[in-house]
């Protein structure tokens, strides 16, 4: 009989030791202690910088599209059209190119100021009339706007290609999936053996895992549409409890830090590309405006030669002869 009592006591002691060992090695589920991308670095300032670059690029595209009148005005408004284009070009230089108007733009401003006076001097019966001059000027101005918009569409965007950031987001996706795989045994361990012993903790853990899986799927769709920044923003909202184990925690933390570093490089690359785009647009403006001035000067020279030819004809027209005596070099030449 005493041997049975002693055996029972030994068994009870062994059971207690086993319970203590299980409690010691079983992690406690503390849902307040989370692991996330935001915990590895400040993402909000980086997202703000990228948003500012995108906004600046949008304003730049809108300004390029409206800097020259899209539709040709009426012939009677040719002077006003040139004055409006001149004001927009000068304002574009100050606001978007962050520099003073270039030499071609200053010559274009001089042209806009003397368009009306030039058209008055072109008044003469016959082929070289002011109506012809107005039509030529408006056609040149319309061509300038079309050429400028066409070249802007051919220029590269201000955002980088995004291949490196896509790879970073893919690595972060794999880290989240691996962390979820490490959490599933803890959720399935049950009420007695697992860390989530209460029904409430298991429900909260299951909800957070479901939201993480949903974020991974959403990020995958954004990547397929070429939006790595939005995909990383989606994954940065994932919050998971830090109970999967030291190995999983370290792997996930490394992936989060890599994502933050990748986003920082992407933000810097976008700013650099925007600066390059601004310089390219400035060169495009100067090239097209210079071509416009050359063409307008050539048209004016051609009409002047026609007037002189009419004056030297066998039956000169008095009005043409009077017009030929007037100074003709009123248009700036390229």
């Amino acid at each position: 009989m005493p041997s049975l009592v002693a055996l029972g006591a030994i068994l009870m002691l062994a059971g207690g030791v086993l319970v203590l060992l299980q409690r010691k090695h079983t992690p406690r589920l503390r849902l307040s202690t989370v692991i996330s991308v935001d915990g590895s670095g400040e993402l909000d300032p980086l997202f703000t910088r990228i948003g500012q670059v995108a906004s600046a690029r949008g304003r730049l595209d809108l300004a390029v599209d409206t800097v020259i009148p899209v539709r040709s005005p009426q012939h009677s408004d040719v002077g006003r059209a040139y004055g409006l284009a001149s004001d927009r070009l000068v304002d574009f230089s100050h606001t978007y190119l962050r520099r003073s108007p270039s030499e071609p733009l200053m010559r274009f401003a001089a042209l806009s100021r003397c368009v009306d006076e030039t058209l008055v001097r072109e008044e003469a019966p016959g082929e070289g009339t002011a109506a012809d001059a107005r039509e030529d000027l408006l056609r040149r101005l319309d061509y300038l706007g079309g050429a400028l918009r066409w070249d802007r569409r051919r220029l590269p965007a201000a955002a980088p290609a995004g291949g490196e950031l896509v790879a970073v987001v893919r690595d972060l996706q794999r880290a989240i999936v691996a962390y979820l795989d490490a959490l599933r045994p803890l959720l399935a361990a049950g009420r007695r053996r697992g860390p989530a012993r209460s029904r409430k903790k298991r429900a909260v853990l299951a909800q957070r895992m479901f939201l993480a899986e949903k974020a991974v799927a959403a990020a995958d769709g954004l990547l397929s549409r070429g939006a790595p920044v939005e995909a990383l923003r989606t994954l940065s909202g994932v919050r998971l409890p830090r109970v999967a184990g030291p190995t999983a925690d370290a792997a996930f933390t490394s992936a989060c830090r890599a994502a933050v570093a990748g986003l920082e490089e992407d933000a810097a690359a976008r700013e650099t590309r925007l600066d390059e785009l601004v310089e390219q647009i400035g060169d495009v403006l100067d090239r097209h405006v210079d071509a416009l001035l050359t063409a307008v000067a050539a048209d004016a020279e051609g009409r002047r030669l026609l007037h002189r030819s009419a004056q030297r004809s066998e039956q000169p027209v008095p009005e043409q002869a009077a017009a030929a005596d007037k100074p003709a070099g009123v248009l700036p030449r390229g």
Side-chain angles (χ1 to χ4, degrees):
M1 193 72 180
S3 60
L4 293 176
V5 173
L7 181 60
I10 292 174
L11 292 176
M12 291 178 61
L13 181 61
V17 172
L18 291 175
V19 171
L20 291 176
L21 290 175
Q22 182 182 7
R23 290 185 176 181
K24 181 179 180 181
H25 292 286
T26 301
R28 292 186 177 182
L29 181 60
R30 296 180 179 178
L31 297 177
S32 59
T33 304
V34 297
I35 187 168
S36 65
V37 185
D38 285 339
S40 302
E42 292 294 333
L43 288 182
D44 287 342
L46 298 178
F47 285 127
T48 300
R49 285 170 57 191
I50 290 177
Q52 290 172 347
V53 171
S55 177
R57 185 187 64 183
R59 294 194 304 270
L60 183 64
D61 290 340
L62 180 63
V64 169
D65 194 54
T66 59
V67 71
I68 302 294
V70 179
R71 299 294 181 184
S72 297
Q74 299 297 324
H75 287 187
S76 59
D77 299 329
V78 61
R80 183 186 61 82
Y82 266 71
L84 178 61
S86 172
D87 293 340
R88 287 180 175 178
L89 285 171
V90 172
D91 183 67
F92 184 86
S93 294
H94 286 302
T95 304
Y96 297 100
L97 303 183
R98 297 185 295 274
R99 67 187 186 193
S100 300
S102 62
E103 192 270 339
L105 292 187
M106 295 304 295
R107 288 193 289 119
F108 182 79
L111 169 67
S112 67
R113 287 192 295 269
C114 68
V115 162
D116 286 334
E117 181 182 356
T118 301
L119 293 177
V120 171
R121 294 180 182 276
E122 292 287 341
E123 289 288 357
E127 297 181 357
T129 63
D132 295 332
R134 292 177 190 275
E135 187 173 353
D136 289 339
L137 287 171
L138 288 173
R139 187 176 67 252
R140 298 291 184 186
L141 187 61
D142 187 64
Y143 177 80
L144 171 64
L148 181 59
R149 286 186 287 272
W150 171 254
D151 270 6
R152 171 59 191 100
R153 287 192 293 268
R154 297 177 61 189
L155 290 176
E164 297 80 4
L165 188 59
V166 169
V168 168
V169 176
R170 291 293 187 191
D171 290 340
L172 181 59
Q173 277 185 304
R174 287 190 287 269
I176 293 177
V177 171
Y179 204 86
L180 290 173
D181 292 339
L183 285 176
R184 286 191 179 90
L186 303 180
L187 183 62
R191 183 177 299 179
R192 295 183 178 180
R193 293 186 295 109
R197 293 182 175 86
S198 68
R199 182 178 301 176
K200 180 179 179 181
K201 285 187 176 182
R202 288 198 303 275
V204 173
L205 178 59
Q207 177 69 11
R208 290 194 175 181
M209 292 175 64
F210 169 76
L211 294 177
E213 292 173 346
K214 186 177 179 182
V216 170
D220 194 61
L222 290 170
L223 286 178
S224 65
R225 295 194 294 270
V229 176
E230 290 74 11
L232 186 56
R233 187 190 297 273
T234 300
L235 294 180
S236 68
V238 173
R239 301 288 187 274
L240 294 173
R242 191 189 293 270
V243 292
T247 303
D249 287 352
F252 187 60
T253 301
S254 299
C256 292
R257 290 174 179 171
V260 173
L263 185 63
E264 186 173 9
E265 293 178 2
D266 185 82
R270 287 171 185 269
E271 292 176 343
T272 302
R273 292 289 293 273
L274 180 63
D275 292 338
E276 294 174 355
L277 178 63
V278 166
E279 292 297 327
Q280 291 171 355
I281 288 179
D283 294 339
V284 167
L285 276 175
D286 290 345
R287 183 172 71 251
H288 286 306
V289 170
D290 219 354
L292 169 71
L293 294 172
T294 303
V296 169
D299 291 343
E301 181 68 15
R303 286 192 296 273
R304 187 176 65 84
L305 293 177
L306 285 177
H307 293 171
R308 286 191 175 183
S309 177
Q311 183 183 15
R312 296 192 185 100
S313 63
E314 296 180 356
Q315 295 178 353
V317 180
E319 290 82 356
Q320 289 178 329
D325 295 334
K326 298 179 181 179
V330 293
L331 285 177
R333 300 179 182 178

